[in-house]
Amino acid sequence: MNVSRTILSLACLMTAASAMAQDKVLNIYSARHYPSDEAMYSEFTKATGIKINRVDADDAGILARLKAEGAASPADVILLVDAARLWRAEVDGLFLPIKSKVLQDAIPANLRAKPADNGGTAWFGLSTRARVIVYDKLKFSKPDVDSYEKLADPKFKGSLCIRSGSHPYNLSLFGAMTEHLGPQKTEVWLKGLVDNMARSPKGGDTDQIRGVASGECGVALTNTYYLARLMRSTVPADKALTEKIAVVFPNQASWGTHMNVAGGAVARHAKNSGNAVQFLEYLASPAAQNHFANGNNEWPAAKGVSFDNPALKAMTGGSFKSELLPISAVGMNQIKVQQMLDRVGFK
C-alpha cells in the first residue's frame, strides 16, 4: 500500500513538474526578422524565466501555417508587420481577443483592433512606421511633394519609383487614401501613379531610395526605417547616397503622414496564453519600445515613450503630424484597393 502511495505521489510530482515546465515556455510565430529584436527576447526570458521558442516566416506564411495547423497549432504569440495582415488574421479568427489594462493604457485606440464581442482586443500595434516621400533635391523641392496626392501630378511623369502595389506596405497606404478621398478619387489617384512611373514596380523600399539617388527616378515612397538604416550606416556609399536625396513627411497640412504598424496578438489556440499576454505587455514597456526605436528605427507605439534615435530625429526635425485613422479601418479596405489596382494596371 505504501509503495502504491509512493508511486502515486511521484506521478503527481512529475505531472506538476511537467506543468511548471510548460508554464515557462512561449512559442512565437514572428514576421519580424531584425537582429535587434534578439535583445528583447533575452531580456524577457531573463526577467521572467520563460523560454522563447520562435518560428520565423513572412506574414503570409505565418497566416497560412496557422490555418493549416488549426487547434493543433503550438503558437502562443503572433507577431506581424502590417496592419492589413493583422486585420485579415483577426477576421479569419486566428487571434484570441484578450483583456489587458496594461496594453489598453499603453497603446492608443487607433493602433489596436476594435473591441471584440467579449470586450477583449484581438491585436495591438507595438511599433509604427511612417510612409514618406524621398525625392531628388536637385530636381524637386519640398512643396512639390508635400502630399501623397501630388505624386499623381503630371509633372512627375516618368519620375516615380515604387514597389509592387500589392505589397502590404502600399496596400495599407492605399487603404488609408481610400478612407480620406473615397474610392473614386483614390482610383483616379492610383491611375496617376501608374502614369508617372519611371519603371515597372520592382524591389523593396531601399531599392526605391537607391533609384532616386542614382537619378533613375525623381521621387519614391519608402517606410522610414529603411531610410534610417542608410542614414546610420557606416558604409561610405550609403552615406553618400543619403546626401543626394531629401525626405518629406506628407500631408502635414491635412490629415498627417500615413503610419503602418507592426503588431502582436495571442494565437487563438495558445496553450500558454498567460505567458503570451505577459510578453505582449512587455513589448509595450518603455524598455522594449526603445529597442524598437533605437534598434530597428521604428517609432514607438506606446504613449509617452521617449527615445534617442539620431536618424529619426534628423528626418523630422523633432516632430511631425501622424495620421490618426483607425488601423482596423485601413485593413478593411484591402480587398477594395486590390480591385482598384487591377483596374488601373498597377502590378
Side-chain angles (χ1 to χ4, degrees):
M1 190 70 173
N2 289 339
V3 173
S4 298
R5 287 177 179 171
T6 300
I7 292 173
L8 181 60
S9 297
L10 286 172
C12 290
L13 284 171
M14 290 174 67
T15 301
S18 175
M20 287 178 67
Q22 248 188 347
D23 287 343
K24 291 296 184 180
V25 171
L26 184 68
N27 299 313
I28 299 175
Y29 285 7
S30 177
R32 295 183 60 88
H33 313 306
Y34 314 122
S36 57
D37 284 6
E38 298 297 332
M40 290 193 298
Y41 300 133
S42 296
E43 283 184 9
F44 178 75
T45 296
K46 184 177 180 181
T48 64
I50 298 171
K51 177 186 175 184
I52 290 177
N53 301 313
R54 198 170 81 247
V55 172
D56 292 331
D58 61 14
D59 283 359
I62 287 172
L63 300 188
R65 179 167 179 164
L66 286 172
K67 289 178 183 178
E69 291 174 340
S73 177
D76 297 312
V77 167
I78 309 301
L79 299 177
L80 302 178
V81 293
D82 172 67
R85 294 279 169 76
L86 286 162
W87 174 82
R88 183 74 262 168
E90 176 190 0
V91 170
D92 289 344
L94 300 178
F95 296 157
L96 179 68
I98 61 170
K99 296 178 182 179
S100 165
K101 188 176 187 307
V102 171
L103 289 166
Q104 293 286 339
D105 289 347
I107 306 302
N110 66 302
L111 298 182
R112 60 181 190 246
K114 292 182 179 179
D117 292 340
N118 70 349
T121 302
W123 55 265
F124 294 85
L126 297 166
S127 61
T128 65
R129 299 95 177 273
R131 195 133 187 86
V132 297
I133 297 172
V134 293
Y135 61 97
D136 183 334
K137 58 187 180 183
L138 296 180
K139 296 179 181 177
F140 302 108
S141 61
K142 184 175 180 178
D144 293 324
V145 288
D146 60 6
S147 74
Y148 296 111
E149 300 97 296
K150 288 184 178 180
L151 292 178
D153 191 304
K155 77 159 64 173
F156 293 114
K157 189 171 183 64
S159 295
L160 175 65
C161 277
I162 192 168
R163 71 192 302 165
S164 169
S166 296
H167 189 276
Y169 298 161
N170 280 337
L171 282 179
S172 291
L173 169 62
F174 302 159
M177 294 297 286
T178 303
E179 286 294 303
H180 293 303
L181 300 177
Q184 290 184 333
K185 289 183 178 180
T186 300
E187 187 163 336
V188 171
W189 176 71
L190 289 171
K191 180 62 167 62
L193 298 189
V194 173
D195 292 342
N196 286 345
M197 288 181 187
R199 52 165 170 72
S200 297
K202 66 177 182 179
D205 281 5
T206 303
D207 297 304
Q208 317 314 315
I209 298 170
R210 295 187 188 282
V212 175
S214 71
E216 181 182 14
C217 40
V219 292
L221 283 165
T222 181
N223 278 359
T224 41
Y225 69 95
Y226 292 101
L227 179 57
R229 284 179 191 170
L230 293 171
M231 292 171 68
R232 298 179 73 183
S233 172
T234 57
V235 178
D238 290 340
K239 290 286 187 183
L241 181 154
T242 61
E243 291 173 0
K244 296 179 180 179
I245 63 173
V247 59
V248 62
F249 283 67
N251 294 80
Q252 294 300 287
S254 56
W255 55 71
T257 297
H258 172 65
M259 307 296 287
N260 203 340
V261 296
V266 176
R268 167 65 67 179
H269 302 290
K271 311 301 188 293
N272 303 290
S273 57
N275 294 347
V277 172
Q278 190 175 352
F279 180 71
L280 293 181
E281 290 176 344
Y282 163 72
L283 293 184
S285 70
Q289 291 287 297
N290 267 278
H291 278 300
F292 289 137
N294 299 324
N296 196 49
N297 304 302
E298 299 171 90
W299 307 93
K303 303 171 188 174
V305 174
S306 60
F307 63 93
D308 187 22
N309 182 311
L312 294 181
K313 290 185 175 181
M315 280 185 213
T316 64
S319 63
F320 66 98
K321 181 180 179 181
S322 62
E323 179 183 72
L324 295 177
L325 278 178
I327 294 292
S328 55
V330 172
M332 290 171 65
N333 286 332
Q334 65 174 333
I335 295 174
K336 189 185 300 181
V337 167
Q338 188 61 66
Q339 292 170 342
M340 293 183 206
L341 295 173
D342 293 340
R343 286 195 292 268
V344 301
F346 194 151
K347 303 300 183 184

